[in-house]
Amino acid sequence: MKIAVVGATGLVGTEMLKVLAERQFPVTELLPVASAKSVGQLVHFQGKDYPVVSMADAIAARPAIAIFSAGGGVSLEFAPQFAEVGTVVVDNSSAWRMDATKKLVVPEVNAHELTKDDKIIANPNCSTIQLVVALNDLHKKYQAKRLVISTYQSVTGTGKKAVDQLMEERAGHTASNPAYAHPIDLNVLPHIDVFQPNGYTKEELKMVNETKKIMSDDSIRVTATCVRVPVMGGHSESVNVEFAQDFDLADVRDVLRHTAGVELVDEPGQNIYPMPKDSHGRDAVLVGRLRRDETQPNTLNMWIVADNLRKGAATNAVQIAEYLVANGLV
Ligand code: 2RA
């Protein structure tokens, strides 16, 4: 199958190629797409070197699937052009996520909604993906009413510039080309993406809006505070969820043990709980620190960790592509 990866040389694009190879996705021809200055640069994939091609050449090649991680502007301009030649686009930017005509998909939750008519499919935000994977089966059983979320997001969510800033600051230098308005080493920034008139950031509103769309339930009330932390890989989330139904903690554990994509990591007496370093290179969503919120009925606290470049981006996109192939939608 001819596959284009748009943004192939970025942090997420590189991870997408890694995941496609690891999962032995049936790629017969790879079309790596990157900026004009990268055209001709070789990308190594499954034992072969593929030259980076221009967007126009990739569109003309009519790949079966184009997986994008190249920013919203690029996606808004070129995803429709791929769709016009019959390519199915899986886009990791926020461009199409809240478009009412586009599906926003986490395979474990709502891949069944996909049809042959879906030519541009949105990959959700990393912090949303890990949340809904952990929450979905609990929601089905106990009906989530309200979520209060605080995130602790790795600098890899911003990209190479932020990784470089952290490494330079950690080496004792002032960052030469900082990604953030403030130092990130030995600090935390309650600021991810742009502030909106209501005082929330776009990242926080992504969690609010995307969660409801993926879970097809606008009644769930969601509030979030998204924080950047000096961690190299892996997003963490503290989630307080109020359910309509009461629960037994043992049953909650059992539900999570059987939730697709979740690994229960919860033995605090043994100092065993999810940590970002344990998520690196893995696709599981790690859940732990389960405990009842004793300040109000039917309410659970949990701690959720995942590799934001893998399940939070690349793997989720590749899993969507796998679903398309397995169900004859491409
Ligand atoms: C971040 N979720 O962590 C955003 C985009 N990857 O910066």
Side-chain angles (χ1 to χ4, degrees):
M1 184 174 285
K2 198 184 292 184
I3 302 291
V5 175
V6 179
T9 57
L11 276 187
V12 173
T14 303
E15 204 67 32
M16 284 174 174
L17 292 172
K18 200 168 149 189
V19 172
L20 284 165
E22 269 179 25
R23 298 174 73 97
Q24 297 182 330
F25 192 86
V27 181
T28 53
E29 183 185 346
L30 176 72
L31 296 161
V33 184
S35 60
K37 69 178 185 339
S38 304
V39 170
Q41 181 182 315
L42 293 181
V43 169
H44 193 75
F45 178 77
Q46 290 188 322
K48 286 178 68 176
D49 287 328
Y50 292 89
V52 170
V53 301
S54 69
M55 192 74 81
D57 287 349
I59 294 167
R62 296 171 178 264
I65 299 174
I67 308 180
F68 272 60
S69 188
V74 168
S75 183
L76 284 170
E77 182 176 357
F78 294 106
Q81 294 184 42
F82 274 102
E84 274 159 28
V85 300
T87 299
V88 177
V89 172
V90 180
D91 176 46
N92 190 49
S93 83
S94 58
W96 305 99
R97 289 176 184 160
M98 297 315 295
D99 180 321
T101 67
K102 302 294 183 290
K103 304 274 173 61
L104 180 63
V105 176
V106 175
E108 294 88 340
V109 177
N110 63 340
H112 60 274
E113 295 173 0
L114 290 169
T115 72
K116 271 188 173 295
D117 296 334
D118 295 307
K119 293 301 180 189
I120 298 176
I121 302 163
N123 203 44
N125 192 37
C126 38
S127 46
T128 306
I129 290 172
Q130 62 188 71
L131 171 71
V132 298
V133 168
L135 189 60
N136 186 48
D137 286 359
L138 292 174
H139 176 55
K140 285 177 186 169
K141 183 164 185 174
Y142 304 112
Q143 299 86 50
K145 288 173 58 182
R146 181 173 183 257
L147 304 176
V148 181
I149 305 157
S150 296
T151 73
Y152 308 78
Q153 299 180 221
S154 157
V155 295
T156 56
T158 304
K160 188 176 179 310
K161 194 173 169 183
V163 169
D164 291 346
Q165 176 178 346
L166 177 55
M167 297 313 287
E168 285 180 293
E169 290 174 355
R170 190 151 293 178
H173 307 305
T174 302
S176 54
N177 180 26
Y180 305 120
H182 304 285
I184 184 62
D185 192 28
L186 305 177
N187 196 16
V188 296
L189 305 178
H191 176 187
I192 298 179
D193 210 324
V194 179
F195 280 105
Q196 299 303 291
N198 66 358
Y200 284 78
T201 62
K202 277 189 172 181
E203 187 78 357
E204 290 156 353
L205 295 177
K206 287 172 189 175
M207 292 209 82
V208 173
N209 298 319
E210 292 179 21
T211 300
K212 296 180 192 182
K213 181 170 179 178
I214 296 162
M215 298 180 76
S216 302
D217 190 338
D218 277 341
S219 73
I220 303 174
R221 290 172 286 129
V222 184
T223 189
T225 301
C226 294
V227 180
R228 187 73 64 195
V229 294
V231 163
M232 199 65 76
H235 285 355
S236 305
E237 298 172 356
S238 169
V239 179
N240 175 280
V241 47
E242 179 187 355
F243 293 108
Q245 312 294 328
D246 196 7
F247 56 82
D248 177 278
L249 262 183
D251 291 342
V252 167
R253 288 181 200 285
D254 193 50
V255 169
L256 287 168
R257 276 194 199 93
H258 296 90
T259 297
V262 165
E263 182 175 317
L264 189 59
V265 182
D266 194 30
E267 295 176 58
Q270 314 296 322
N271 298 329
I272 295 173
Y273 29 71
M275 294 180 282
K277 72 175 184 62
D278 296 335
S279 71
H280 290 175
R282 301 188 59 204
D283 296 322
V285 172
L286 312 179
V287 181
R289 295 300 323 277
L290 297 172
R291 61 209 189 279
R292 184 179 290 278
D293 173 355
E294 291 163 355
T295 68
Q296 64 175 36
N298 311 340
T299 306
L300 175 73
N301 285 316
M302 52 187 186
W303 176 253
I304 303 168
V305 173
D307 183 325
N308 55 291
L309 295 182
R310 288 197 55 118
K311 183 53 186 172
T315 305
N316 196 77
V318 172
Q319 287 172 325
I320 291 171
E322 287 171 345
Y323 183 91
L324 295 172
V325 172
N327 290 275
L329 301 181
V330 287

